[in-house]
Amino acid sequence: MAEEKKVQGPASYFPSIEKRYGFAINHWLELLEAQKELKHMEMVALLKNDHGLGHGHANALVAYFRSQRGM
């Protein structure tokens, strides 16, 4: 029987982000894609100030987004 691998790192926040804010993760990643010229903390501030995300959730999304794009 295969052992289920536990999701770690920023992606571990994804289920709670989707539940709390009512949008799929792709919604947030597309939003960040449109703002990819911003620095890490500028992206975090955008999610917090313009979309009401908490710091931890915003930071997890930005960290994941940037890591997937080699930023």
Side-chain angles (χ1 to χ4, degrees):
M1 188 188 285
E3 186 177 319
E4 200 174 314
K5 186 176 180 186
K6 182 156 172 61
V7 176
Q8 296 182 324
S12 67
Y13 286 87
F14 289 0
S16 62
I17 291 170
E18 288 179 335
K19 182 177 179 184
R20 181 162 189 167
Y21 304 105
F23 292 101
I25 294 304
N26 275 349
H27 166 81
W28 302 111
L29 298 178
E30 289 171 8
L31 193 148
L32 292 172
E33 182 67 34
Q35 303 294 325
K36 63 185 173 198
E37 74 283 350
L38 297 177
K39 294 177 182 174
H40 182 103
M41 289 309 294
E42 292 172 332
M43 289 178 160
V44 171
L46 174 93
L47 293 175
K48 290 171 62 176
N49 298 331
D50 294 359
H51 301 281
L53 273 71
H55 181 81
H57 287 160
N59 192 57
L61 283 166
V62 172
Y64 179 84
F65 172 82
R66 295 176 67 87
S67 72
Q68 293 300 302
R69 283 152 184 80
M71 300 172 84

